[in-house]
Amino acid sequence: MTIATMTVNGQVTIPKKIRDLLHLCPGDRVDIVVQEDNKILIRPVKVELDDLYGILHRPEQPVVTLEEMDAAIVRRACATMDNLT
């Protein structure tokens, strides 16, 4: 059995043994589900690459080539450098 203690702020540190078992890293999110018998299920929230497909697509935006992107980066970097001097 693994035991964790709750702080006065309601925070609980997940013990290392459990973090390792679930492959949790700092910043990872967990889903906590209270089951009917008041048992708690904790499972890692993992986002698959396929879930992210298309999230940045905006049909109204023009298509830009890699060369145009590079040129925009250089322009912005130069403008930022000019503001620093």
Side-chain angles (χ1 to χ4, degrees):
M1 174 165 43
T2 303
I3 298 175
T5 304
M6 184 170 58
T7 68
V8 294
N9 294 326
Q11 298 174 334
V12 176
T13 299
I14 300 172
K16 181 167 177 17
K17 179 179 176 181
I18 304 301
R19 292 192 316 261
D20 291 345
L21 179 72
L22 297 176
H23 305 288
L24 293 173
C25 298
D28 282 353
R29 296 168 25 136
V30 294
D31 182 27
I32 301 173
V33 179
V34 180
Q35 297 178 332
E36 287 184 23
D37 55 0
N38 283 337
K39 290 185 180 179
I40 303 296
L41 174 66
I42 298 176
R43 55 186 174 200
V45 175
K46 300 289 183 181
V47 177
E48 298 294 327
L49 185 58
D50 289 342
D51 296 335
L52 302 176
Y53 179 79
I55 65 170
L56 298 178
H57 176 69
R58 293 188 191 130
E60 68 278 3
Q61 287 209 323
V63 176
V64 181
T65 67
L66 289 176
E67 291 78 15
E68 292 170 320
M69 286 186 225
D70 288 341
I73 293 168
V74 169
R75 281 194 307 276
R76 179 62 186 218
C78 290
T80 301
M81 294 302 293
D82 289 343
N83 288 335
L84 294 176
T85 57

